[in-house]
Each structure stands twice: as structure tokens, then as C-alpha cells.
Amino acid sequence: MEEVLLDIDIDQQAKAAADIAYDKKASDVLLLDIRDVSVIADYFVICSASNTRQIQAIADTIDEDLGKQGAQLLHREGNADSGWVLLDFGSIIVHIFGPKEREYYRIERLWSEAKTVVYLQ
């Protein structure tokens, strides 16, 4: 039986989500602190994946690993075939895009006033 790590704070979980995406070879991984510009969440993690299998692997690993840290996935939207998966953990929202979808939606521009915490290429 695996040990479940509880009581890891939201800041650490958000950074962990960005690290997991990067470890799964996501590109342009961006962690935004949106607390000063929105009430919908504390953090956005935004990243790109090169294909549907990678989108799915990143989403599944973030869901599993954050779950082990005590985070509860409240909602999952989209799928790898659509080119965009959204994972809503309440205080942390993860956006995983295919390259065309990332360019089309340019979600980081919508949140340009948010503080960039981490950017990994």
C-alpha cells in the first residue's frame, strides 16, 4: 500500500503540478499566481504537449500524484483528442494543451496581470 502524503499546502501542490508536467516532457510550462486577479482559483498551471498520448499522460499523472498529496480533483473537462484537458483541483486549475490549441486560445494572455511563479521551457 502506498503512503499518502497529506497536508501539503496549495503552493507546494501547484509547483508539484508544474514539475510533473515538465517531468512528463511538457513544453512551455507556466505557473501563474492568480490570487490577486481572480477569485476562481489561486493558481493556473498551463502547459503544452506534442500529441494526444502525451496530453493524456500528463493529465493522468498530475491527477494521480496530486491525489497522493491530498488534492481532490473536482472536475475534469476535455480530453486528449480535443487538444485541451482541464483539471480543476479547486485552488489549482491545470490546462494541458496541444500546440495548435495553445496558440489559438492564448490563455496566458488573458491572465497577463497574474504573477508568473514558474516558467519552464
Side-chain angles (χ1 to χ4, degrees):
M1 184 170 171
E2 291 185 58
E3 180 181 329
V4 176
L5 303 173
L6 299 176
D7 297 329
I8 293 182
D9 70 22
I10 299 303
D11 297 341
Q12 290 173 315
Q13 288 177 347
K15 289 176 185 169
D19 288 341
I20 292 163
Y22 186 73
D23 289 346
K24 285 289 182 182
K25 309 297 185 213
S27 59
D28 297 321
V29 179
L30 185 60
L31 173 57
L32 297 178
D33 180 340
I34 63 169
R35 290 178 286 195
D36 291 339
V37 295
S38 178
V39 296
I40 64 170
D42 293 338
Y43 292 99
F44 272 180
V45 177
I46 304 167
C47 65
S48 299
S50 58
N51 58 56
T52 58
R53 287 181 57 193
Q54 187 182 27
I55 292 171
Q56 190 66 48
I58 293 166
D60 291 347
T61 304
I62 289 173
D63 181 11
E64 182 180 326
D65 288 4
L66 289 190
K68 290 177 185 175
Q69 295 179 20
Q72 180 181 1
L73 182 63
L74 303 175
H75 185 73
R76 184 177 187 144
E77 192 161 323
N79 59 55
D81 292 333
S82 74
W84 183 6
V85 172
L86 178 142
L87 304 174
D88 181 355
F89 292 94
S91 295
I92 304 163
I93 298 176
V94 180
H95 300 270
I96 307 161
F97 289 99
K100 288 187 282 188
E101 292 77 13
R102 176 91 179 253
E103 179 61 30
Y104 178 80
Y105 288 105
R106 299 180 185 191
I107 196 167
E108 55 267 43
R109 288 188 186 188
L110 294 173
W111 299 95
S112 62
E113 294 179 20
K115 177 180 155 193
T116 300
V117 179
V118 173
Y119 178 68
L120 304 166
Q121 288 186 318

